[in-house]
Amino acid sequence: QVQLVESGGGLVQAGGSLRLSCAASGPTFSRYAMGWFRQAPGKEREFVATINWNGVATYYADAVKGRFTISRDNAKNTVYLQMNNLKPEDTAVYYCAAGPTAPVSRQRAYNYWGQGTQVTVSS
């Protein structure tokens, strides 16, 4: 069982940066690929980024490629999402998730989800 708690969300102006953190409980964190997803108002939840168990492999949605960076620190049981050059369309609740053994974008592959953290980007 893995419990996930996100933090680091907030209000930022367009062009600004935020770093989200996701702290995981449990001894098996390093076994899982981790992912970040987001859900904007009135829209379905969508894939943002994913990282494999040791941080070597990362994948991004086209909408965030070149602006967002996912990373992890297995010693701290934490995964991060560095978000640069934020745009108003990045406004959403951001969720971290764990579960698959390989980094994938399919939400159904993830068994564990955090409660989410709100990111609001003003224009």
Side-chain angles (χ1 to χ4, degrees):
Q1 192 78 3
V2 177
Q3 292 184 327
L4 305 171
V5 179
E6 303 95 336
S7 61
L11 173 64
V12 63
Q13 289 187 333
S17 299
L18 282 174
R19 188 175 82 154
L20 305 184
S21 299
C22 174
S25 65
T28 58
F29 172 77
S30 62
R31 298 181 184 178
Y32 300 116
M34 299 293 295
W36 284 98
F37 296 80
R38 67 185 183 185
Q39 186 168 20
K43 295 186 177 181
E44 294 187 352
R45 190 163 56 189
E46 64 178 5
F47 166 74
V48 175
T50 183
I51 188 168
N52 79 323
W53 71 275
N54 64 0
V56 170
T58 58
Y59 302 96
Y60 298 91
D62 288 343
V64 307
K65 202 171 294 182
R67 300 187 297 122
F68 290 12
T69 302
I70 187 171
S71 61
R72 68 189 295 163
D73 185 338
N74 287 344
K76 295 182 178 180
N77 276 18
T78 302
V79 63
Y80 305 97
L81 185 68
Q82 177 67 44
M83 306 185 294
N84 297 329
N85 191 21
L86 283 160
K87 304 176 180 180
E89 51 264 42
D90 294 320
T91 295
V93 177
Y94 283 72
Y95 300 89
C96 72
T101 55
V104 296
S105 61
R106 298 189 322 272
Q107 295 187 44
R108 292 184 176 182
Y110 293 81
N111 300 318
Y112 307 104
W113 292 82
Q115 293 300 306
T117 185
Q118 176 70 46
V119 171
T120 303
V121 184
S122 63
S123 57

